[in-house]
Amino acid sequence: MNNKYTLPVPAPHHFSFAVRDIPDVTVEQRERVLKALHYNEFAFPAGMLTVDMLSDSGTTAMTNHQWAALFMGDEAYGRNTGYYVLLDTFRDIFERGGEKNWKKILDLVRTDCRDVEKMIEEVYLREYEGGLFNGGAAQMERPNTFIIQQGRAAESVLMEIVKKILAERYPGKIFTIPSNGHFDTTEGNIKQMGSIPRNLYNKQLLYEVPEDGRYEKNPFKGNMDLDKLQELIDAVGVDNVPLIFSCITNNPVCGQAVSMANLRAVSEIAHKNNIPYILDAARWAENAYFIKKFEDGYADKSIAEIATEMFSYCDGFCMSAKKDGHANMGGMLAFRDKGLFWKNFSDFNEDGTTKMDVGVRLKVKQISCYGNDSYGGMSGRDIMALAVGMYESCDFNYMEERVAQCNYLAEGFYDAGVKGVVLPAGGHAVYINMDEFFDGKRGHDTFAGQGFSVELIRRYGIRTSELGDYSMEYDLKTPEQQAEVANVVRFAIDRSRLTKEHLDYVIAAVKALYEDRESIPNMRIVWGTNLPMRHFHAFLEPYPNT
């Protein structure tokens, strides 16, 4: 409530108690290292950077509660305590409709419960079925939840098994998998399974900016274009679309939010056509925050309540739990028990009994590559930190501060006169449209956005992520896919790690680089053009802009 003591600035909600020094590095030193490492920004040593904005994936600062939770983790090879805690954390947030219905096994474990009978009844043998997270014997009989160490591994497990099943049923057939925006690793995994990824969003809306650069209400630029989706299904045939994805928030489309209405509508289209609907749910909490702030009917709902509705529309999800500030490592793959994905990808006998459960096939792949199903490549301590981080991501104040940092950086670029800033800011990063930044003077074959990224490192020690023509492989796409590429560079902001001082430095550096943009070199690939997800390991070299 407002009163006479209200201040014109928000009250802080956290403080830092650990400090890491930044070394002094010269331009010449950075240039020498860049050249030696073939101008690959992923290979550049983090210890030589002033500000690292390559990604918010696993790079966030953890809270004191997360650090404390590390000590509650046990490293048992089979059914560590954190396994039960983490699955119930997901049930709390994604299925139980908000805090008032939480069971929070986490709190039971925190109190070091020694009542064995209670632990058996409440934790170890508690039966759950029919949702995204089976429990007790049901998880053994029909496995549908798989702890994985990060999102791209979850995608790889999913896509490899889907590929095998489709190849067994339809040898030689090529499939199309649409999304509002497949991120680089998702697209890479889809291409490696021999399918065609498509990104169906409104690019014109994405790049529109009001006269003063400010939106009063978020326009949900990350939405799937529903007309394009239906047109694609009609064009390629419903039998050639095995899955439909939505990325929340829409990472390749500049971290833009997706409305609840759009999730609901895509789900309806998918289910009308008997196609499983999958969420790339890396930033579910940010997306729920935007829905709460800007979509009618959700202002009084909590982030967890909104998350429960979002996940009610999907048949399964892949998730990197390294985003949204959850933890430094973690991921999840899950599908609805006896739902549409299970029905479409399991094999059945003539009498209707299950011949081969798709969950069993996924579990075999998980165990073969990542470890036993109760840890899936994660340590027990990281599992506990992740569970705590999931609950913390439901804190509105945390999300408000996180998004405010993104707005500050985006509006700082805009006010500095930098062209191409995508507004409004997303929830985890700020993006600049390289086509507009360079006044439309650089062609798609120049990879000038990568030149921009390299020059930010060389001149100012700032690392970003080029997510445009180079990383999203414009030169290797069909004309239809090329039209779907957003030629952008991303400035990721990780949780509670960067200060206003860092952001002001970045604003000043980008302003200076923009004013000298004619000197930014183009880039060419000298090795690795056709490698899957080439931007992680290709070699480049600069050449003059002439």
Side-chain angles (χ1 to χ4, degrees), residues 493-512:
I493 298 178
D494 35 23
R495 170 166 88 167
S496 304
R497 198 175 66 86
L498 301 179
T499 65
K500 182 175 177 292
E501 183 180 20
H502 292 101
L503 301 183
D504 286 340
Y505 178 77
V506 173
I507 292 168
V510 171
K511 181 178 186 292

Side-chain angles (χ1 to χ4, degrees), residues 242-259:
L243 302 169
I244 294 174
F245 273 75
S246 279
C247 184
I248 54 174
T249 54
N250 194 338
N251 196 1
V253 182
C254 303
Q256 295 295 303
V258 182
S259 71

Side-chain angles (χ1 to χ4, degrees), residues 371-436:
N372 191 18
D373 63 329
S374 57
Y375 69 90
M378 293 185 68
S379 67
R381 55 187 175 270
D382 281 335
I383 288 173
M384 292 300 293
L386 170 55
V388 173
M390 288 284 293
Y391 288 116
E392 290 178 341
S393 291
C394 295
D395 182 350
F396 178 81
N397 287 329
Y398 156 56
M399 279 296 160
E400 184 94 327
E401 289 184 347
R402 179 161 169 71
V403 174
Q405 277 201 311
C406 293
N407 286 332
Y408 181 84
L409 183 62
E411 291 172 6
F413 288 156
Y414 183 86
D415 292 342
V418 176
K419 287 185 180 179
V421 184
V422 177
L423 296 167
H428 77 283
V430 174
Y431 295 71
I432 297 179
N433 173 7
M434 288 291 107
D435 295 333
E436 189 173 352

